Amino acid sequence: MAADIWTALFIALLAAFVGYEVISRVPVLLHTPLMSGSNFIHGIVLVGAIVALGLATTPLEDAIGLVAVVMGALNVTGGYMVTVRILAMFDRSKGKGGAP
Amino acid sequence: MTSYVQDAINAVYVVAVLVFILGLKAMSGPSTARRGIVYAGAAMLLAVVVTFASPGLSNFLLIFVGVAIGGLGGWYWARVVKMTAMPQMVAMFNGMGGGSAAAIAAVEMLGHLSDLTSSSLSLAGAVIGSISIAGSIIAFLKLQGWMTSKPIVLPARQVVNTAVLVVGVGFGLYALVVLHTFWLLPFYVLLLLYGILLTLPIGGADMPVVISLFNALTGIAVGLDGFALVNGPLGDAGYAMVIAGVLVGAAGSLLTLLMAKAMNRSVSNVFFSAFGATEETGAAVQGQLKPIDAADAAIQMAYANQVIIVPGYGMAVAQAQQKVKELADLLEAKGVTVKFAIHPVAGRMPGHMNVLLAEAGISYDKLFDRDEINAEFPATDVAFVIGANDVVNPAAHRQGSPLYGMPILDVEQAKNVIVNKRGQGKGFAGVENDLFYRDNTRMLYGDAQTAVGKLVSELKKAT
């Protein structure tokens, strides 16, 4: 049992470094999309919420699990849409503005 | 049979996690960013869909209903919301993630309270997730204007807040010890209350740090939930959550530190000092405010070689970005070089000004970071400050000022400075801005939309 936790800990350690390295040189221009995009990525919580609700056994667990799924789905689709909208504007401004 | 299904699902999780990392990487360049989010979106969709096939899952009707409500709601809400409301939307969707993490932890603890390892990890996830959702909702209310954006300072708040946190966590631990789920109720109530109390004393201008930190916290809460799940029957979803959550936690923490550094303050100072609640007294300012009318300001800009525009929250509030774009176009038509100087914490979320100017159609190669543009101010004829205050306050160079040490845009070094401001009030930090009193500074009073609109019509008249 505990072996799984240890494996997860090793994975977490590496993921932390990846997260740090991947965005350490991001320009101010992209701070919003980066934040909003990482907001979308922690929407993976929806997968956990589906598992939690899918394995729930009592009415109380069902109710709380449903709340988890609704909020997780809000996080994932809202986060995605906001990011896409912001990045779409950067594209347009590039086309319209004309580089010097 | 079952194990093949699980293998296939796991393979999808692995691919999804890989694409998340690549997608986040692509976010660090303007030309690749859009591709990054679309690929990450596809990977997420796939990961969610295959999860339905997990062996042993039931409650499908409820899951469908939940995904449909949340998914359609989030999709619709994010589509119709105005660009100017982006900071509070990001805060809200992030809060939802934190709330989801806290709720998952609750289900886990209700189901298997006696598994001590898993329960303590769930408890930790619940602590952070609850703080994140409650705090994010307060941030949303403040940014939406449904609650004052000024710091709300309650008496003895440090003591009260700490007590709420300690007692709340105490209830949670007690539940694990006596193996009785009832004690989770006061635990959640107090932790949500702590999230509220933590965010109330933080003012609007500190929101870039706050939103970014709650984003990181939600990531960590998701990661902790993942840890708690890896022990369970469908543990492999947990690994995906650990990687994605910790990835965001690390990236978000870094962004938070960058934001705090841009104000020369520590993250704990942002959260615990109730910054901006008190005004600086005693610092004498010499000279007087010298107003300018739109016609004179327009002439000054039209005859300049280079104009640097410094936008701040005032531009966002007045939704003046479209007028600013018109102004820049007219000036450029007259042969004036127009650049934009963007301070990292201008506005209410990281990169806020960039988003607004992009919305107005201003090319991002005209936007410059502080480090890139500061050397250009001495050679600039007109610096035009639109609704920015603390980020151009020379008090940052003066020892003893609350702003001391904050890296600012050195607007004061431009030959002429025109400041658009609604009235004569101080900036968020409550520090008098002696830039406004300098000999080369003129004040263009009025709401940014109206004031810049007048400049535009004056310039049109002149042609």
Side-chain angles (χ1 to χ4, degrees), chain A residues 32 38 42 53-54 62 68 85 92, chain B residues 58-59 78 81 94 100 350 359:
Chain A
T32 297
S38 58
H42 67 52
L53 177 55
D62 285 353
R85 278 184 66 190
R92 198 184 59 200
Chain B
S58 58
N59 260 339
V81 70
N94 173 55
S100 185
E359 186 204 4

Side-chain angles (χ1 to χ4, degrees), chain B residues 227-428:
Chain B
F227 268 104
L229 285 176
V230 291
N231 263 344
L234 294 176
D236 303 301
Y239 289 111
M241 287 169 74
V242 167
I243 298 178
V246 172
L247 189 69
V248 173
S253 304
L254 182 61
L255 187 61
T256 311
L257 292 176
L258 281 177
M259 291 292 115
K261 202 171 144 208
M263 302 194 293
N264 192 41
R265 288 165 53 204
S266 67
V267 175
S268 75
N269 177 278
V270 171
F271 272 81
F272 300 118
S273 72
F275 193 79
T278 50
E279 300 206 338
E280 188 192 27
T281 48
V285 186
Q286 297 182 352
Q288 53 185 6
L289 295 165
K290 295 164 285 293
I292 190 172
D293 62 25
D296 290 344
I299 290 170
Q300 235 182 53
M301 288 186 206
Y303 287 97
N305 284 318
Q306 171 155 299
V307 172
I308 296 182
I309 298 179
V310 183
Y313 185 55
M315 183 187 82
V317 174
Q319 304 193 20
Q321 60 271 23
Q322 209 62 51
K323 290 284 174 205
V324 170
K325 154 87 171 152
E326 275 186 61
L327 176 70
D329 286 349
L330 283 167
L331 288 173
E332 282 178 343
K334 289 179 184 297
V336 181
T337 309
V338 179
K339 292 179 177 173
F340 291 83
I342 313 289
H343 195 279
V345 295
R348 291 296 186 260
M349 68 175 170
H352 194 183
M353 293 299 123
N354 303 82
V355 172
L356 291 177
L357 295 174
E359 186 204 4
I362 292 165
S363 171
Y364 59 71
D365 41 32
K366 289 182 189 138
L367 315 184
F368 296 91
D369 290 0
R370 201 188 68 87
D371 298 337
E372 295 172 311
I373 198 131
N374 253 355
E376 290 202 31
F377 281 108
T380 298
D381 303 295
V382 180
F384 182 30
V385 179
I386 308 175
N389 194 338
D390 292 340
V391 297
V392 295
N393 193 338
H397 296 312
R398 195 180 64 222
Q399 231 155 12
S401 162
L403 290 174
Y404 177 67
M406 170 166 164
I408 58 163
L409 291 162
D410 289 323
V411 168
E412 47 169 344
Q413 292 175 2
K415 289 172 195 151
N416 298 286
V417 180
I418 298 174
V419 177
N420 167 243
K421 218 167 160 296
R422 265 187 301 187
Q424 303 189 346
K426 293 171 188 170
F428 169 71

Side-chain angles (χ1 to χ4, degrees), chain B residues 149-206:
Chain B
S149 66
K150 292 223 173 67
I152 298 173
V153 186
L154 303 172
R157 74 195 150 81
Q158 305 285 29
V159 179
V160 173
N161 291 8
T162 312
V164 168
L165 177 65
V166 169
V167 175
V169 173
F171 276 124
L173 292 174
Y174 187 67
L176 297 197
V177 172
V178 300
L179 293 181
H180 201 302
T181 49
F182 168 79
W183 299 104
L184 293 175
L185 184 64
F187 160 77
Y188 274 105
V189 170
L190 287 181
L191 260 299
L192 290 170
L193 180 64
Y194 179 72
I196 295 172
L197 292 174
L198 179 71
T199 321
L200 281 179
I202 306 175
D206 283 342

Side-chain angles (χ1 to χ4, degrees), chain A residues 1 11-12 16 20 23 30-32 38-39 42 49 53-54 62 68 71 75 77 80-81 85 89-93 99, chain B residues 27 34 58-59 71 78-79 81 94 97 99-100 104 215 218 231 243 246 248 250-251 254 259 350-351 358-359 362 365:
Chain A
M1 278 306 213
I11 293 173
Y20 185 89
I23 68 137
L30 289 169
H31 278 174
T32 297
S38 58
N39 181 12
H42 67 52
L53 177 55
D62 285 353
M71 290 201 285
N75 180 182
T77 56
Y80 179 78
M81 201 64 219
R85 278 184 66 190
M89 290 183 324
F90 286 146
D91 271 16
R92 198 184 59 200
S93 66
Chain B
M27 294 278 182
R34 199 156 180 210
S58 58
N59 260 339
R79 263 199 93 90
V81 70
N94 173 55
S100 185
I104 293 170
N215 186 37
T218 300
N231 263 344
I243 298 178
V246 172
V248 173
L254 182 61
M259 291 292 115
E359 186 204 4
I362 292 165
D365 41 32

